[in-house]
Every structure is written in C-alpha cells, then in structure tokens.
Amino acid sequence: MRAALDFCLETLRQKNVDKFQCSLQKTKQYEMNLEGLDFTLIRTTAENTLSITVIQDQRKGSITVNRLDQDGIVEAVDSALELASTSQQDPDYDISPPQEAQKFTSGPQEPDPERMYELLKEYTQQVPQLFPSIKLMESALLHRQVHAYFVNSNGVQFETEQGNYSFSSIFSSKEGEKTTSFNYTGFAAKDLEKSLLEQATLKTLLTQSVEHLEAQPFSGKFVGDVIITPDCLESLLWGYVMTFLSDGPMIAGISPFQDKLGQKVASNKLTLSSEPVSPAMADGYFVTSDGFAAENVTLIEEGVLKSFLLSLYGSKKTGKERAKNQGGCFVIQPGDKSLAEMISQVKQGLLVGRYSGGSPSPNGDFSGVAKNSYYIEDGKIKYPVTETMIAGNMAEMFANIKEISAERIDYGAGLIPYMLSTGVTVSGK
Amino acid sequence: MIIRDLRQFSSLFRQYTELRSQENRVLSIAYLQGNLVQNVRNATSGISARVYSGGSWGFASTPDQSKVREVIAEATSNAVFLDSREQMGLGSFTPETPVVEVNYGTTKQRLTQKEIMDFTKAVDDYIAKKYPNLSSRSVRLDCLDMEKTLLTSDGAYLYSLIPRSIFVISLSMDKNSDPVEVYDIAGGRGQFEDVFSKPEDLFPTIDELYEHLVKKSEGVYPEAGVKECVLDSQLAGILAHEAIGHTTEADMVIGGSVAGDFLNKQAASPLVSLADFAHSYNGEPCPIPIHVDDEGTAAEDVMLIEKGILTGYMHNKHSARHFNAKPTGNARAFTYRDEPLIRMRNTAILPGTSKLEDMIASIEDGYYLIQPSNGQADTTSEFMFGIVLGYEIKNGKLGRAIKDTTISGVAFDVLQNVTMVSDDMTWSCAGMCGKKQLIPVGMGGPAVKTKINIGGR
C-alpha cells in the first residue's frame, strides 16, 4: 500500500505539479446481515480509494480511483492534470500548510466473527421474545477497518489506522391488518461487550414501535411545543449546520448566519460541538479531507455562534476562519431536566421520534411528517399519532429551545439529548 | 476496466455462484456563483462473488481483478460459515440462463474534457450574463457510466453499459432578506454526447426556471390541510416510486409492509395502473434499462397495480421462492462491492385520458404541484415529498406561486382518491434511491388529480 502511494507521489513530482495532495485509503469490511429474523448473508469487502488533487497554475483537478497498479496510477495522475488544465483559475484553490507528521490509531483492527454471530443470534432470539409484534426488516452488524495515508506537497504526512463495529436495524410492528411506520436506529462501538438491545435507543424504539399499533391520526392544527428525540435531533442537526454553517450556503452568500459569528443565533441553553477526536467517539475521524489534523470544535456556545463549518477553500473564498474539523460527531451539552419533567411542562405538543422531510430551505424553513411520534396534552403523553405534519423554521426552533434533557444517548458517533422547543406548527388531518 | 470474458473462471465454481466484474465511472463538474467548486473524476472497479450454500449467502469483493480465485474462495467460506450455523437446508433455485449483451454508450466521437468543461461554463455564463440580479446560481453536471459483466454457475451471462448524464441548475434570489430557490434537471439516459448537443438547448429551460423563481419570490405559504391538487408528472413518478413502489418490494412485504394485505384487492382508483418496467416502454428504452438483473434473472415488467387492483410484487430469487412466485429481475447492485437487493428499475403510473388544462380547470380551491425536492415513504405507504415549485389554483385558474412546503398522505388512500389522470407521460432519470446502497432509478408518470395533505404555516 505504501509502495503504491510512494509511486504516486514520485509520479506527481516528476510532472512538476505546483501543489498536490494525495490520500490512499484501504478499507476492509466484514458484515453479517439479517432479513427479518433470518441470517441471510455474510459479506466481506475490500476497497482501495486513491484520491489525487492537483493544482497547476491555480487550476484544480481531482480524481478518485481504486486501481493501485503503476499503469492505473499514471493514468490517474494524467487524468487529474487534464482536469486541472481545463479548469478555470481560482486564487483560492490551495492545500493544507505544513503540519507535524502524525499517526493515529483507534479501535479494534480485526473483526471477531464468532462474537458478532453470537450477538446477532441473541438479537434474533430476544426481539420476538420481548416484542412479538415486531417485524425486523434489515439488520446488519459490521466491522470496518480503515488504513489511510494523507500526504501533500507541503510535506504534510498523516497515517490513520482505525477500526470499529457498527449496528443498524430497521423494523416495524404488525398485528393482523394493523401496520406501523418503520423506524430504525443504530450505533457505533469500539467493542462487542454489551448486548445489542442494551445499546443506544434500540429497546426504546422497539417498545415505541409496538405502541404505535394503536396510533391514530391527529385532528386539527396548533402552534406549540415539540420534544425532539435524540434519534431525530441527530439528523436535524445535520440539516441545521449544512443550511447555516457549511461551504455551500456560505460561498453562495445565502446563509442567514453569514454575518453572525460571535453573535447569538440560538437559545442560551444550546451548546453544540463537533468532537471527532474525542476518545468516546467510536466512529470519529482524525484527518479532514482537505488535509488538516482534526480537532474538536465548539460551534455554538450558550447560543452564541463560535465557528462556521468552512473548509480551507470555503474559508479562503469567504474570508472567514476555517473550521477545525468537517462536522459530525455532534455533542450537545446536557440540561438539568429529565425527559419526564420536560413532558410534564408541555401544555400541547408533540414528542417527535422521526422527521420525514426534505432538507430545510436556504432560510431554514422546514416541513415534514412527524413519524413515530406522540401527541402530548396537559403534561401527559396522550397517544401515538399518524399522518401528522410539523412545520417551522430551523433557526427559530433552535432559538426557541426551552429545555435540553439531562439524559443523553451515546451513539458512538454523537452524544445527543432530548430537546424541548416551541413555535412549531403541528397539523393533522 | 472490467473483465469481459468471465467464462474462463467457470471451472472455479463449486456451488451456485454469481461472479461480477464492474466499473462505475463518474464525472462531476459544479459551478457555484461562477466558482468551479467541483471538477472530479472517479473510477471504481473490481470483482465480486456471491455463493449460495443451503439457504445462506456468502459475498466477497476486491478491487484487484486478478484475484478472482481468492474472491470466490472467500465468498464460499462466508456461505459455509453461515450454513454451518444456521443449517436452513434449503435447496437450489430454479436455473435462469439468459445471455444478453447491451450497450447504451455513444457511438459518436467522445468529447474532450475541455469541450465538456467549456459546455458547462457556457451554461453558467448564460445565467450570469442574462440574470445578474440573482443572489446565487449553481450549475452541476453529473455523468455516470455503469459497465459490468456477470456470469452465474447456471450459465446466465450479461454484459451491459448503462450511462446517464444530468445537469442540475439552481437559481436563487433574495426577497426581504430571505433567499428563495428553484432548480430543474435536464438530461437522462446516455453518455454526454448523446444527451446534450449544444449549451443553447438548455437556455429555454433556464429562462422558464427564472420565470418560476420570480413568481416564487412573490409566493405565499400554502394553507395547511387536505386540498385538491394536481400532481405534475415528476410528482406522480416519485409517488409511484416512493409511496407505492417501496411497499411492493417483496422483502418489504415480508417485513410487514401494508401492501401484504392488498394483493388482488382494490388498492387504488380504477383510473390508476402502475408498473415497474424492466427496460422498455412503448418500444423505447427506459431511463435505466435492466435486461438481466445481478442474480442472472431475465428482467420482466412487473404490473403492480392494474386498474386499481394490486396485482404483484417485485422479487429476487429468495423472495420469489418465499411467495411461490417467479423472480422478476429486480435484484440490483450499484457497485461491484454491493450485493444485489430488491430494487425498482423504472416505476411509473400509466397515462389516462384527461388533459392537464382540464384537470386544473376542474379545481376551485387547490394547488398545482410541479417540482419535488425529495421523498420518503413508509411500510404503511404513508409518504412525504418536499415541494419546491407549485402554484395555487383558484376557480380553475393558476394563481400565486407557493413557498417551499411538504405534502404527505397515505399513498393507497391518495390513489383511491384519484379522479383524473392526464394522457401524457414524462420520465425522469435523475433519481438515486437509497436502500442500504444508493442506486439510479427511473420514475415516470402523467399528471394526477387527487386530494392530498399539504403542509403550511
């Protein structure tokens, strides 16, 4: 592997490229799959990913290939140069500056097939026993090992060896002709010590799925409170940062937050960080795709915007500071109320288990279906709902946060609480 | 680079085996505000084997195509490991032996990278020059070639090259400090040279998109609630795919989908017929023409709903045996390292007899919904689609544009309420369907009139 990388670097040097970066990643995956309760497949895959970016006369070209033979590498370098030669000039194309060479290692490097089988078998036995109405759809337990190099012409050299397990399961409930919405969850882990059902929100969501056999459509419309569950909040956070903080809207100049660095953009109850190098993250990362050693970064501290999520290019293009990482591995600081206390203070609202909706509009407007959700009235959960929509504005929802829960869910790729906010339109049939 | 002659390895097969060599090639160019933010080529090639042992499957893949022997051995080892523990004792599948070679690549001289880049730049320059008041614009070109060979131990053989080339054009303008955005897609099946001839051909699309943007910038929030709506063809296509199609994938039916209760029952208005086409419609190739699937089954059209009656499911070999049905050729894998799953191919509602203008004229208070952003559906057939372009209908006439919203409903209810279906048919080829793996799919349809729950504020 190192020999292929060295050959690639030598080829790039011989071409007298002004600036280049090169990453070579070898990924091995071992995966056990269930369809329903049946083991259907064991899958082992190997993949090479050689990514080359060249900047010649401030023109840029990038190519990704998986052939590592010498002919393939020469072809890839030539192709990257051809792409660059047809590119327009841009003074903001660049590569990362010199940094100290580092090697990062994390997690198990080899799978334990016997233990994987044992855990998955236990899952197929526990689920029908504890939740007879549950219909498992697809479930997969996998081990992934990635060995990667990142090198550039400024002398940057990083090496990473990273392994982890991850599990995901999709399910619904069915009794007679009653069928529930599907739901899903998962987690990443550095070991296989704990039973699958004991991790993240699996047991909670399976319980809720069965409860939804009695779901009913909500009638009417109101503007009120929503409690967003950790599974739902994790996906909404991506919408939030991509709409307001990332390269695309910032370069386009359409992010409503573009001039708000250091200003209040959310409730002071919200402290949001991205922590890919935290030891607690089984599925973190150590090197950004533009060649920087990743660091944990606070994006919003007590409601104040502390960092955008700009890449090197986005930073140069907008004249704003580059983010210390590329997002993900979100951590929200806990509040001091339990979920039960949060529910008890809702006059009329919804506990939103899953949001099925499009990406927010550039201004943050969103609307979608509240799936796997419950209607709350006078501080109590009344019933699970179907066919209920929520609509609001992402910026307003995070500005209107009333509470963040004390309990948080560890997904191995994020540490997420429940969030109570208000001002969201809930409409039923 | 793929291995064209896989038959040289047939002596290595010991059990039922599928051997596939595949390369996916991508070219992606994107301008954002005149900045070239993406100029990338990807090529991913390799070989995979899937082996069957007593009801258990083993799969292995490698990018090193010289390691055919090793990849078959590893897949076999995986199947044997699982079979030794599960001991399902299931027999082999009925052999399928189609032999097909199809090439949808261009026969024209290939354009150079510079010519394609100049074409893309000309499209961006047109927007910049003609519409300087925009707050943002983006032009993105995505070209994908999927080339593969497949050989099964039963003797099925496939060579196919299926390309698609797509421009996605987005325009934004500020209205009272709020950005308003519209987008459209041009292109479809074929390599760049067969799909696009000159930049000027895209200018009318851009001009029309700008007109929509101006109207949307003056747009209003729709009124939330159940409304009579005309769903234009792109929405009908996504309804066919997301809301009905997924529930009729046989693995979803086994997993509890509501379609399991509807077989041979009235599931939609008699005006509605819906099919998943394998490779051709009315004698023309579909957006994603599948002649033989990745299990070596000859692909057939699947009539899912005929005049309102739910008539069938989409199958792979495993589900076909479960339902005592024939495999339909819906087992598809996106890259060489993906195992085949039950996937749609070209899913469409079939045209009716009404005219779009009559459908709009028949609505007193409702909406004409044109452009979806994305869509999701459920085992219950409850769905949601983002709507990024639509208009009010008041007293049978189009009114103000509406701001971004979402529609939702239970698809089988929505189809029960269909009262008109237009007599035209439009295909879209830009979609990537996600189900463990992403995969390109075709969607199509006429316009349909129905009642639907529309989000608002």
Side-chain angles (χ1 to χ4, degrees):
Chain A
M1 180 183 177
R2 181 70 218 194
L5 181 71
D6 288 341
F7 180 78
C8 181
L9 298 175
E10 185 54 33
T11 306
L12 285 160
R13 287 187 192 108
Q14 282 175 6
K15 302 278 183 186
N16 293 317
V17 179
D18 295 344
K19 295 176 183 174
F20 62 79
Q21 70 176 42
C22 194
S23 70
L24 176 55
Q25 183 171 300
K26 220 172 177 73
T27 305
K28 287 193 291 184
Q29 189 162 303
Y30 184 88
E31 176 184 303
M32 287 184 184
N33 291 266
L34 298 178
E35 260 183 46
L37 296 170
D38 297 332
F39 280 81
T40 49
L41 175 76
I42 291 180
R43 172 172 172 249
T44 48
T45 61
E47 182 59 299
N48 305 322
T49 309
L50 173 64
S51 298
I52 302 165
T53 295
V54 298
I55 299 172
Q56 191 78 316
D57 195 22
Q58 285 310 119
R59 299 173 198 273
K60 186 167 101 167
S62 300
I63 189 160
T64 299
V65 296
N66 67 350
R67 278 180 63 193
L68 298 185
D69 57 281
Q70 295 197 348
D71 289 347
I73 290 170
V74 169
E75 205 177 293
V77 168
D78 288 344
S79 196
L81 285 166
E82 188 197 3
L83 284 164
S85 71
T86 61
S87 149
Q88 66 182 18
Q89 282 184 311
D90 188 331
D92 296 319
Y93 291 145
D94 207 351
I95 58 172
S96 59
Q99 296 158 78
E100 184 188 346
Q102 289 188 73
K103 179 172 179 179
F104 307 96
T105 306
S106 129
Q109 304 300 312
E110 293 292 333
D112 181 347
E114 294 291 348
R115 179 62 180 154
M116 288 172 74
Y117 179 79
E118 195 177 298
L119 281 176
L120 212 45
K121 190 74 184 172
E122 180 187 66
Y123 186 66
T124 64
Q125 291 161 348
Q126 287 176 333
V127 168
Q129 197 179 354
L130 296 172
F131 307 101
S133 304
I134 286 285
K135 287 268 189 183
L136 287 183
M137 298 164 86
E138 292 167 28
S139 309
L141 176 60
L142 62 90
H143 175 270
R144 179 180 290 134
Q145 196 271 344
V146 179
H147 184 189
Y149 292 97
F150 184 100
V151 180
N152 76 16
S153 54
N154 282 340
V156 170
Q157 294 221 32
F158 296 126
E159 183 179 358
T160 305
E161 283 188 291
Q162 201 169 1
N164 65 33
Y165 291 99
S166 61
F167 177 69
S168 63
S169 190
I170 308 176
F171 45 83
S172 64
S173 293
K174 192 163 175 65
E175 272 182 11
E177 291 202 349
K178 287 191 284 189
T179 299
T180 69
S181 291
F182 71 79
N183 206 353
Y184 57 87
T185 191
F187 61 86
K190 287 183 179 174
D191 59 54
L192 293 177
E193 285 172 16
K194 284 202 278 189
S195 158
L196 300 174
L197 261 188
E198 299 306 318
Q199 306 223 40
T201 53
L202 257 174
K203 203 180 260 179
T204 303
L205 267 54
L206 287 165
T207 304
Q208 290 179 350
S209 178
V210 176
E211 289 171 355
H212 271 73
L213 284 165
E214 305 306 325
Q216 48 186 285
F218 168 73
S219 297
K221 176 181 167 183
F222 67 92
V223 178
D225 293 350
V226 287
I227 297 175
I228 311 291
T229 63
D231 281 88
C232 185
L233 184 54
E234 207 272 343
S235 66
L236 290 182
L237 283 172
W238 273 110
Y240 184 80
V241 301
M242 293 312 288
T243 303
F244 299 135
L245 308 180
S246 68
D247 273 7
M250 290 295 292
I251 293 172
I254 58 174
S255 166
F257 288 4
Q258 60 186 321
D259 299 317
K260 300 232 169 132
L261 193 66
Q263 296 178 34
K264 197 161 169 7
V265 294
S267 158
N268 57 10
K269 289 183 183 286
L270 180 71
T271 295
L272 167 67
S273 54
S274 168
E275 303 189 6
V277 298
S278 163
M281 295 296 167
D283 196 19
Y285 57 89
F286 295 100
V287 180
T288 67
S289 56
D290 50 5
F292 291 87
E295 299 173 39
N296 293 338
V297 60
T298 300
L299 298 168
I300 293 172
E301 187 172 16
E302 296 181 353
V304 174
L305 181 61
K306 292 291 184 184
S307 173
F308 294 107
L309 261 184
L310 292 168
S311 68
L312 175 62
Y313 179 73
S315 159
K316 296 188 82 160
K317 193 49 79 185
T318 59
K320 299 182 190 303
E321 193 177 347
R322 184 187 66 83
K324 300 286 187 284
N325 66 41
Q326 56 195 33
C329 298
F330 294 120
V331 174
I332 292 182
Q333 290 306 306
D336 53 10
K337 294 273 174 33
S338 68
L339 170 63
E341 288 172 302
M342 285 161 63
I343 293 170
S344 73
Q345 70 184 71
V346 173
K347 179 75 182 155
Q348 189 180 26
L350 217 56
L351 174 67
V352 183
R354 180 161 71 88
Y355 169 73
S356 174
S359 303
S361 301
N363 69 356
D365 282 353
F366 69 90
S367 66
V369 183
K371 296 277 191 181
N372 313 102
S373 300
Y374 293 82
Y375 177 62
I376 305 171
E377 198 176 274
D378 295 329
K380 290 192 170 54
I381 288 181
K382 292 291 182 183
Y383 54 86
V385 295
T386 60
E387 298 181 66
T388 303
M389 298 186 76
I390 54 173
N393 180 278
M394 201 66 87
E396 288 171 16
M397 190 170 74
F398 280 82
N400 293 340
I401 292 170
K402 289 174 156 181
E403 301 290 352
I404 300 281
S405 71
E407 56 265 65
R408 293 187 294 176
I409 304 299
D410 180 0
Y411 293 98
L415 193 54
I416 313 287
Y418 292 84
M419 180 178 99
L420 168 60
S421 182
T422 193
V424 173
T425 302
V426 177
S427 57
K429 277 188 129 174
Chain B
M1 185 186 70
I2 61 167
I3 303 173
R4 283 298 293 258
D5 177 20
L6 289 177
R7 291 188 178 94
Q8 61 181 303
F9 303 109
S10 55
S11 63
L12 299 173
F13 300 161
R14 296 287 176 268
Q15 305 179 70
Y16 174 77
T17 302
E18 296 154 2
L19 183 65
R20 178 157 45 96
S21 171
Q22 183 168 348
E23 181 169 69
N24 287 3
R25 297 179 290 272
V26 172
L27 168 64
S28 184
I29 296 172
Y31 283 93
L32 174 62
Q33 285 293 69
N35 300 301
L36 181 65
V37 293
Q38 190 147 20
N39 183 24
V40 175
R41 277 184 188 274
N42 292 338
T44 305
S45 61
I47 190 142
S48 62
R50 193 171 71 143
V51 172
Y52 180 78
S53 180
S56 296
W57 290 100
F59 181 96
S61 70
T62 173
D64 185 345
Q65 301 208 47
S66 68
K67 293 190 172 164
V68 175
R69 181 183 296 273
E70 289 85 343
V71 89
I72 292 173
E74 192 170 0
T76 304
S77 162
N78 287 339
V80 168
F81 176 94
L82 204 48
D83 186 38
S84 70
R85 280 153 179 79
E86 293 298 298
Q87 298 184 352
M88 288 190 268
L90 297 176
S92 54
F93 297 104
T94 306
E96 298 268 342
T97 57
V99 175
V100 172
E101 296 207 2
V102 283
N103 185 341
Y104 289 94
T106 185
T107 53
K108 297 176 183 167
Q109 167 124 18
R110 299 308 307 267
L111 295 181
T112 64
Q113 172 70 26
K114 182 172 186 322
E115 286 168 323
I116 295 175
M117 181 65 82
D118 289 346
F119 188 114
T120 310
K121 185 81 170 71
V123 174
D124 186 62
D125 286 347
Y126 174 78
I127 302 171
K129 195 170 169 187
K130 185 155 182 189
Y131 302 113
N133 59 330
L134 293 173
S135 59
S136 177
R137 65 183 193 279
S138 73
V139 175
R140 178 186 184 90
L141 171 68
D142 286 308
C143 302
L144 168 67
D145 289 353
M146 294 168 288
E147 186 176 27
K148 70 174 76 163
T149 47
L150 170 79
L151 178 69
T152 73
S153 52
D154 285 342
Y157 175 80
L158 168 72
Y159 165 80
S160 70
L161 170 59
I162 303 173
R164 74 173 188 181
S165 304
I166 292 159
F167 270 108
V168 183
I169 297 165
S170 302
L171 310 178
S172 303
M173 66 168 43
D174 281 342
K175 185 70 182 179
N176 303 328
S177 303
D178 262 358
V180 179
E181 189 173 54
V182 291
Y183 82 97
D184 205 355
I185 293 167
R189 187 200 66 253
Q191 287 176 315
F192 188 93
E193 297 77 1
D194 286 342
V195 180
F196 304 109
S197 53
K198 53 187 188 303
E200 292 77 12
D201 292 345
L202 294 174
F203 296 171
T205 302
I206 293 166
D207 295 340
E208 191 182 336
L209 193 59
Y210 180 78
E211 283 176 31
H212 283 308
L213 178 65
V214 171
K215 289 175 185 164
K216 188 176 170 182
S217 71
E218 303 292 338
V220 292
Y221 285 109
E223 198 180 320
V226 176
K227 292 281 181 182
E228 273 200 310
C229 295
V230 173
L231 310 184
D232 205 26
S233 59
Q234 285 201 46
L235 273 157
I238 200 170
L239 185 74
H241 172 94
E242 289 289 349
I244 299 295
H246 279 300
T247 66
T248 56
E249 292 167 333
D251 53 344
M252 299 293 277
V253 177
I254 295 169
S257 135
V258 70
D261 301 323
F262 285 158
L263 191 63
N264 299 321
K265 293 182 186 168
Q266 191 80 37
S269 152
L271 296 173
V272 175
S273 292
L274 194 157
D276 182 58
F277 294 98
H279 49 77
S280 310
Y281 171 72
N282 271 355
E284 292 292 318
C286 287
I288 303 292
I290 304 297
H291 294 260
V292 173
D293 75 3
D294 291 310
E295 290 183 333
T297 300
E300 297 174 359
D301 298 343
V302 184
M303 205 65 196
L304 299 169
I305 295 177
E306 192 158 9
K307 294 182 180 168
I309 308 287
L310 196 146
T311 49
Y313 305 133
M314 290 169 274
H315 288 292
N316 62 8
K317 287 182 174 175
H318 176 80
S319 73
R321 180 157 63 188
H322 178 94
F323 284 99
N324 196 24
K326 265 186 71 183
T328 51
N330 283 86
R332 300 178 58 202
F334 181 42
T335 73
Y336 79 90
R337 61 176 182 271
D338 292 323
E339 77 277 25
L341 305 173
I342 299 178
R343 308 304 297 263
M344 282 171 265
R345 300 151 315 183
N346 305 280
T347 315
I349 294 176
L350 303 188
T353 55
S354 298
K355 298 288 179 196
L356 177 60
E357 54 271 27
D358 295 337
M359 294 165 70
I360 292 169
S362 71
I363 292 178
E364 199 173 314
D365 180 18
Y367 296 96
Y368 173 45
L369 305 174
I370 302 171
Q371 181 79 268
S373 52
N374 68 330
Q376 294 173 11
D378 210 325
T379 35
T380 57
S381 92
E382 190 180 0
F383 66 90
M384 85 83 217
F385 307 142
I387 302 293
V388 291
L389 187 62
Y391 289 88
E392 293 175 327
I393 303 175
K394 298 286 183 194
N395 301 316
K397 292 194 165 35
L398 292 183
R400 297 170 296 181
I402 57 171
K403 291 178 188 275
D404 291 351
T405 187
T406 303
I407 57 172
S408 68
V410 173
F412 286 110
D413 292 349
V414 168
L415 291 188
Q416 290 276 13
N417 288 325
V418 168
T419 51
M420 297 174 94
V421 179
S422 75
D423 60 359
D424 51 357
M425 169 84 165
T426 308
W427 284 102
S428 132
C429 180
M432 289 292 271
C433 172
K435 179 181 170 185
K436 193 176 182 194
Q437 317 145 14
L438 288 175
I439 205 161
V441 290
M443 304 177 204
V448 296
K449 179 185 161 191
T450 185
K451 284 181 182 164
I452 213 155
N453 190 16
I454 188 159
R457 297 191 79 177

